[in-house]
């Protein structure tokens, strides 16, 4: 284990071969970028299942206007699966990036493009500020959709893997600040989806985001790619393949420093799921399929 891994991250690490699906490792990880100037490949899913070309679908608010939560798509509408990637970056990681640590993963994004796999990337505002070229490239590529992962990866609950927390009266402004950072970085149309740092939320957090017009997006398959070495790629791939069901949302990470095996995992998982008859889609398509369904 690297000595510079923060203490709250160490508490989240488990041996890959004993990873449980209850883990929520999104909060600890750093970012993904684009594959330089590579031309976007046509995506497997050409467009989200949206009522309009300009507004991706969202779930209806709950009682009292509470922010809705999405975990997976319908199980009975065919074999679809959404790969999602968290692009985390906190304020204190700026100096590490300046010193040469890489919080992007061009090889991973290049592989997704080469394999023509659409994906949803949840980006923190702080990451978009650090990597505006990468953020803009993702935002202009129809193969990807860029969603909100908070401004600086601060937790929205009091007990979330030791992360610093956002007070309830600042939660809404944190999400809005992240959207502003995405647009400033060149993402023209970030989608109205939000992933809580660490996957941690409660009713207070959901109520704090009432009226923002977003859907909170969780997952039903944990990849276990966090801090997995290349030697663990096969075990991570097996966990994904064992967990995927029709409509699944898989949480993965894209950072060369903290999840170096992810690109290898994708190269294993994608052809095998296609062999099993699965079609890769973005989260927006699954949400579009889910509206009005239990």
């Amino acid at each position: 284990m690297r000595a510079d891994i923060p203490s709250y991250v160490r508490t989240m690490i488990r041996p890959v071969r004993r990873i449980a699906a209850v883990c929520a490792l999104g909060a600890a990880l750093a970012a993904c970028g684009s594959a330089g100037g590579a031309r976007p490949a046509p995506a497997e899913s050409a467009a989200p299942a949206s009522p309009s070309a300009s507004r991706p679908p969202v779930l209806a608010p709950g009682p009292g206007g509470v922010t809705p939560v999405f975990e997976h798509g319908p199980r009975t509408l065919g074999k679809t699966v959404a790969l999602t990637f968290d692009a985390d970056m906190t304020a204190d990681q700026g100096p590490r990036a300046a010193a040469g640590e890489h919080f992007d993963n061009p090889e991973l994004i290049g592989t997704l493009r080469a394999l023509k796999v659409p994906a949803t990337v949840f980006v923190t505002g702080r990451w978009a500020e650090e990597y505006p070229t990468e953020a803009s490239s993702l935002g202009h590529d129809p193969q990807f959709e860029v969603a909100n992962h908070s401004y600086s990866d601060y937790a929205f609950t009091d007990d979330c893997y030791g992360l610093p927390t956002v007070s309830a009266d600042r939660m809404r402004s944190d999400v809005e600040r992240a959207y502003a950072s995405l647009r400033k970085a060149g993402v023209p149309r970030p989608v109205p989806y939000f992933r809580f740092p660490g996957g941690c939320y409660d009713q207070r957090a959901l109520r704090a985001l009432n009226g923002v017009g977003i859907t909170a997006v969780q997952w039903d398959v944990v990849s276990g790619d966090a801090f997995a070495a290349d030697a663990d790629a096969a075990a991570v791939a097996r966990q994904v393949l064992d967990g995927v069901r029709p409509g699944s949302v898989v949480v993965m990470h894209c950072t060369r420093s903290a999840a170096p095996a992810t690109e290898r995992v994708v190269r294993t998982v994608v052809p095998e799921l296609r062999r099993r008859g699965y079609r890769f889609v973005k989260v927006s398509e699954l949400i579009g399929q889910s509206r009005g369904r239990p």
Side-chain angles (χ1 to χ4, degrees):
M1 186 183 304
R2 289 176 18 219
D4 64 339
I5 297 174
S7 61
Y8 73 79
V9 177
R10 295 191 186 103
T11 67
M12 298 168 62
I13 301 173
R14 299 290 186 273
V16 169
R17 294 174 179 85
R18 295 186 291 110
I19 297 169
V22 296
C23 297
L25 295 176
L29 298 177
C32 68
S34 68
R39 295 178 61 84
E44 183 168 317
S45 175
S50 172
S52 71
S54 60
R55 175 71 176 179
V58 294
L59 296 183
V66 70
T67 302
V69 180
F70 177 78
E71 294 183 352
H72 61 78
R75 301 299 194 189
T76 59
L77 293 182
K79 289 185 172 183
T80 54
V81 58
L83 300 186
T84 69
F85 299 87
D86 288 354
D88 304 335
M89 188 167 185
T90 61
D92 64 351
Q93 289 172 333
R96 290 165 56 183
E101 186 169 350
H102 295 287
F103 294 102
D104 59 351
N105 194 335
E107 186 178 9
L108 171 61
I109 298 302
T111 294
L112 290 169
R113 283 176 166 142
L115 294 175
K116 301 181 181 179
V117 177
T120 303
V121 185
F122 291 85
V123 178
T124 65
R126 181 63 191 86
W127 186 89
E129 293 173 352
E130 188 72 28
Y131 300 102
T133 301
E134 289 86 345
S136 177
S137 177
L138 289 169
H140 283 86
D141 188 340
Q143 184 173 328
F144 300 97
E145 56 190 9
V146 177
N148 192 318
H149 195 34
S150 82
Y151 176 73
S152 189
D153 206 29
Y154 278 29
F156 282 55
T157 63
D158 292 331
D159 184 15
C160 185
Y161 304 104
L163 287 172
T165 58
V166 177
S167 61
D169 63 339
R170 295 182 57 192
M171 291 177 183
R172 181 180 181 125
S173 63
D174 183 272
V175 172
E176 292 172 340
R177 184 182 182 188
Y179 273 123
S181 295
L182 291 173
R183 293 187 179 96
K184 185 176 181 180
V187 178
R189 291 174 297 278
V191 292
Y193 309 142
F194 174 69
R195 177 164 285 167
F196 286 98
C200 302
Y201 70 94
D202 53 21
Q203 286 299 309
R204 182 187 68 162
L206 294 176
R207 288 193 299 269
L209 300 181
N210 286 6
V212 178
I214 57 175
T215 294
V217 176
Q218 297 289 98
W219 55 81
D220 67 318
V221 179
V222 177
S223 68
D225 64 339
F227 301 102
D230 284 343
D232 299 317
V236 175
R238 176 53 51 192
Q239 176 155 306
V240 173
L241 293 171
D242 288 347
V244 165
R245 299 170 58 194
S248 279
V249 176
V250 182
V251 59
M252 304 184 79
H253 306 91
C254 38
T255 168
R256 284 177 280 180
S257 62
T262 307
E263 190 271 341
R264 289 186 60 190
V265 172
V266 166
R267 284 194 279 115
T268 299
V269 164
V270 167
E272 175 59 22
L273 286 176
R274 282 179 171 153
R275 188 189 68 80
R276 297 180 185 184
Y278 279 90
R279 180 172 63 91
F280 292 95
V281 300
K282 292 175 277 192
V283 166
S284 56
E285 181 165 335
L286 294 184
I287 290 179
Q289 294 174 348
S290 300
R291 294 189 307 171
R293 293 178 177 269

